[in-house]
Amino acid sequence: MTGIKTMARKMDSRDVRDRNIALVLEQLVDGESHSRTYLSNVTGLTPATLTSLIRDLAEAGIIEQVGASQSGVEGPRRKAMFALGNHSFPVVVLELRKSEVKLVCQTLRGCTVLDETYQADFRGKNIGDFARFVALRICALLDVLAQQGIDSLPLVGISIPAPVYADLRTIPAAIDFGWDHADVVALIEEQLPQAWYEHVRSRKADAQGCDVAAGLAILRDLKIVLVNDGSAGLWAERHYLQRSNGGISPEDSLNLLYFKTDLGVGGGVVLNNELYCGSKGMAGGLGHMPVANSGRHCLCGRTGCLATVAAPEVMIDDGGLREFASEHGDVAALKELRRLAKLNIEPARSTYDRARDGVKQVLAGAIALLVPDWVIFGGYVIHMMDELFSEHDLATMKVSGVRGMLAGHYRDDAAMPGALLMMRQNLLSNAGRLMHGENLVLRVGSAV
């Protein structure tokens, strides 16, 4: 009985310490620096407790001293200032886009280590090709990190335009790429050892990089997380909304509906400040809500989905602007479609009307069901906002409590900052485990 009580006491002590660590790191998550005095006042932790936590976090490289405050700011004496570290536990995301893959690596503090875009179109190709590509990019990144004096890589996020199951590894399908059900993370993990050996052999003789054995050890322990690009985009917009001067405190309980149209049609839902993904991890897939009883067959298996009338590729094809898009790009083609529609030129007019009416129908239902504080738009649909609710505005729908509609701050590029934020928050929420060399407990859509 004594042994059981002792174990419970130790677990409680560890849980409390990890929670205290989270309280401290939450104040530093946006790259800010603060003194012990400030952190003690904000978190309510005693100076002695805070000093102990800062010592352990600094030894692990999670935070660093970054100078001292000016005298008079927090009293007559200058105080040591602390911020998230720049030399350990990098934040890494690869984002799969229409015809390219973007890789961004930042320090915990948010300084950019690597920001590259690779021209690589995986539509219609085997998903194994994508897995091999990602594995090779991760291996090359180890050398970049080694040159920066960073010898760890505990976590990599993959933002993908497809629904993601709750295991954060598996997709039911990636319709825009022609991929069926797959454990994407397993495919990447299988490629990593061979990709590392190939990368090492391809190095120039005088190139500096990660030690071969050390690289294998890092890759063996690496955790890879798959996130839906719509969920990541919503998380970025939520964070911006709370951190900007919009009269919304980070402590406010927010309910958000996000609707985006770039590669396909998607979105997400935040309920009480948490990303709501449903029991299977796939809630918020607005593109596959039906808008027509007898419509086109969708690759998801249904007919009449919103994506069959409002996806960018569909609108460009139906509007007769495929050749225009090939020459000027999809964004320019969608703007041209809208211009022609306003001039009542067919088939642009009917194509635009079908898409607009479908979006209206889906959003009206989602708003009435969820009653979000805000509806946030991303992608080309931002340019349709004035028309979307000219008839079905909030008053007409008799929905009280909805504050209004917002064009997303990140416009078409919300997925990357949102996924980076998710990975950073995962690292910080696992700070205690990182300090003890333990396995990470991973979540997406939850603050530190």
Side-chain angles (χ1 to χ4, degrees):
M1 184 66 69
T2 303
I4 294 175
K5 286 184 177 179
T6 302
M7 182 179 295
R9 193 160 52 244
K10 287 182 179 179
M11 290 178 64
D12 289 344
S13 175
R14 171 66 185 276
D15 289 343
V16 170
R17 188 170 181 80
D18 285 352
R19 178 55 188 159
N20 289 343
I21 287 173
L23 288 173
V24 173
L25 296 178
E26 187 174 3
Q27 304 304 316
L28 307 175
V29 71
D30 284 326
E32 299 173 350
S33 59
H34 296 297
S35 69
R36 288 187 183 90
T37 301
Y38 175 88
L39 292 172
S40 178
N41 291 336
V42 172
T43 62
L45 300 175
T46 66
T49 297
L50 192 61
T51 297
S52 174
L53 292 177
I54 287 177
R55 182 189 64 242
D56 292 347
L57 289 168
E59 287 179 357
I62 296 174
I63 66 173
E64 298 173 0
Q65 185 174 339
V66 292
S69 63
Q70 296 182 358
S71 59
V73 174
E74 295 185 14
R77 301 173 61 182
R78 301 182 70 190
K79 294 178 169 43
M81 304 291 285
F82 297 91
L84 293 177
N86 263 340
H87 302 91
S88 67
F89 306 125
V91 182
V92 179
V93 170
L94 289 98
E95 179 190 357
L96 175 61
R97 298 178 172 180
K98 177 181 176 182
S99 57
E100 61 188 26
V101 176
K102 186 175 180 64
L103 186 155
V104 174
C105 173
Q106 297 178 346
T107 65
L108 271 180
R109 199 183 305 168
C111 298
T112 299
V113 176
L114 187 67
D115 185 343
E116 293 187 345
T117 300
Y118 311 95
Q119 298 304 312
D121 192 342
F122 292 100
R123 290 174 297 173
K125 295 184 179 179
N126 190 295
I127 192 171
D129 296 338
F130 172 67
R132 174 175 168 75
F133 178 89
V134 171
L136 288 169
R137 298 285 75 75
I138 291 174
C139 291
L141 177 62
L142 292 186
D143 281 352
V144 175
L145 294 173
Q147 292 163 13
Q148 297 288 325
I150 301 174
D151 59 1
S152 63
L153 181 60
L155 180 64
V156 169
I158 311 289
S159 171
I160 188 168
V164 176
Y165 283 130
D167 64 0
L168 306 180
R169 301 172 56 93
T170 311
I171 59 171
I175 293 172
D176 297 292
F177 292 84
W179 299 338
D180 292 324
H181 182 281
D183 185 336
V184 181
V185 172
L187 294 173
I188 297 171
E189 290 172 340
E190 290 169 4
Q191 294 278 353
L192 283 173
Q194 183 61 33
W196 176 240
Y197 285 122
E198 289 183 21
H199 171 73
V200 171
R201 287 197 297 268
S202 69
R203 283 177 183 162
K204 294 180 180 179
D206 59 346
Q208 295 182 345
C210 183
D211 177 78
V212 177
L216 280 176
I218 292 171
L219 295 175
R220 182 185 62 243
D221 296 333
L222 173 65
K223 299 297 181 185
I224 300 174
V225 175
L226 213 60
V227 297
N228 169 258
D229 64 341
S231 296
L234 170 57
W235 202 240
E237 297 293 355
R238 167 201 169 275
H239 186 73
Y240 176 80
L241 193 61
Q242 290 192 312
R243 300 289 174 169
S244 64
N245 295 320
I248 300 171
S249 166
E251 288 76 31
D252 285 349
S253 181
L254 274 185
N255 300 294
L256 304 173
L257 174 64
Y258 180 62
F259 182 77
K260 65 99 180 176
T261 49
D262 37 41
L263 182 54
V265 179
V269 177
V270 162
L271 296 178
N272 296 323
N273 266 347
E274 300 282 324
L275 189 67
Y276 178 72
C277 298
S279 60
K280 298 293 184 181
M282 299 187 297
L286 301 179
H288 297 286
M289 293 181 69
V291 295
N293 292 328
S294 58
R296 289 178 177 146
H297 178 74
C298 181
L299 292 174
C300 75
R302 303 188 184 99
T303 58
C305 291
L306 177 61
T308 65
V309 297
E313 295 280 338
V314 172
M315 293 179 67
I316 290 169
D317 287 339
D318 289 356
L321 292 170
R322 176 51 53 199
E323 186 175 339
F324 185 97
S326 298
E327 183 176 353
H328 301 285
D330 287 359
V331 174
L334 290 166
K335 290 180 179 178
E336 178 67 6
L337 177 74
R338 187 166 182 257
R339 186 186 72 84
L340 295 174
K342 287 183 174 295
L343 295 174
N344 288 319
I345 296 176
E346 294 291 353
R349 176 76 264 174
S350 57
T351 297
Y352 187 82
D353 287 349
R354 278 197 303 273
R356 181 199 60 205
D357 293 344
V359 171
K360 279 184 178 181
Q361 180 179 334
V362 166
L363 285 178
I367 290 170
L369 176 66
L370 298 170
V371 194
D373 297 305
W374 299 95
V375 181
I376 304 175
F377 295 96
Y380 82 82
V381 75
I382 287 174
H383 303 290
M384 302 168 65
M385 284 177 61
D386 291 342
E387 300 169 49
L388 284 175
F389 290 93
S390 57
E391 300 172 19
H392 299 273
D393 61 13
L394 299 180
T396 303
M397 290 186 289
K398 298 180 180 179
V399 177
S400 60
V402 180
R403 302 187 195 181
M405 315 287 174
L406 298 173
H409 171 75
Y410 295 98
R411 315 291 284 191
D412 300 335
D413 298 313
M416 177 57 78
L420 285 168
L421 179 62
M422 286 176 169
M423 296 309 108
R424 180 173 285 105
Q425 289 175 331
N426 265 291
L427 289 171
L428 296 180
S429 65
N430 280 279
R433 295 180 179 88
L434 288 170
M435 292 161 65
H436 290 86
E438 299 170 353
N439 290 331
L440 306 186
V441 176
L442 303 175
R443 293 184 63 192
V444 296
S446 182
V448 177

